[in-house]
């Protein structure tokens, strides 16, 4: 996780404006959640695991993908916070 974090920080710092990060099989990296959350706090970036998103959309016949993306970003930004769904 440390090497991934260092490499991502190096690459993101070279980008002017918003960075869009796409990951495939990120679950294979131990403590990936901490790494991703740290990058979101430190940099102006959006993070997507495109394979997971595509799989969720296809498997569940989701029509409003934009809403799903906003929900995912909200949940990622609030990891560790109690969420209440009504």
């Amino acid at each position: 996780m440390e090497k991934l974090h260092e490499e991502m920080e190096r690459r993101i710092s070279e980008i002017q404006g918003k960075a869009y990060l796409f990951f495939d099989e990120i679950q294979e990296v131990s403590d990936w959640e901490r790494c991703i959350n740290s990058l979101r706090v430190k940099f102006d970036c959006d993070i997507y695991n495109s394979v997971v998103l595509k799989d969720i959309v296809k498997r569940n016949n989701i029509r409003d993908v934009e809403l799903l993306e906003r929900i995912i970003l909200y949940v990622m930004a609030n990891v560790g916070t109690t969420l209440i769904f009504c």
Side-chain angles (χ1 to χ4, degrees), residues 44-55:
D44 181 18
C45 60
D46 280 341
I47 301 167
Y48 298 95
N49 186 335
S50 58
V51 173
V52 172
L53 183 61
K54 286 182 203 174
D55 184 51

Side-chain angles (χ1 to χ4, degrees), residues 50-83:
S50 58
V51 173
V52 172
L53 183 61
K54 286 182 203 174
D55 184 51
I56 291 170
V57 169
K58 184 177 178 182
R59 205 182 299 181
N60 296 290
N61 297 319
I62 294 174
R63 292 177 293 207
D64 193 345
V65 178
E66 182 181 341
L67 176 60
L68 175 61
E69 288 178 339
R70 290 195 331 244
I71 291 169
I72 291 169
L73 290 174
Y74 177 81
V75 170
M76 292 275 302
N78 291 285
V79 169
T81 304
T82 303
L83 300 175

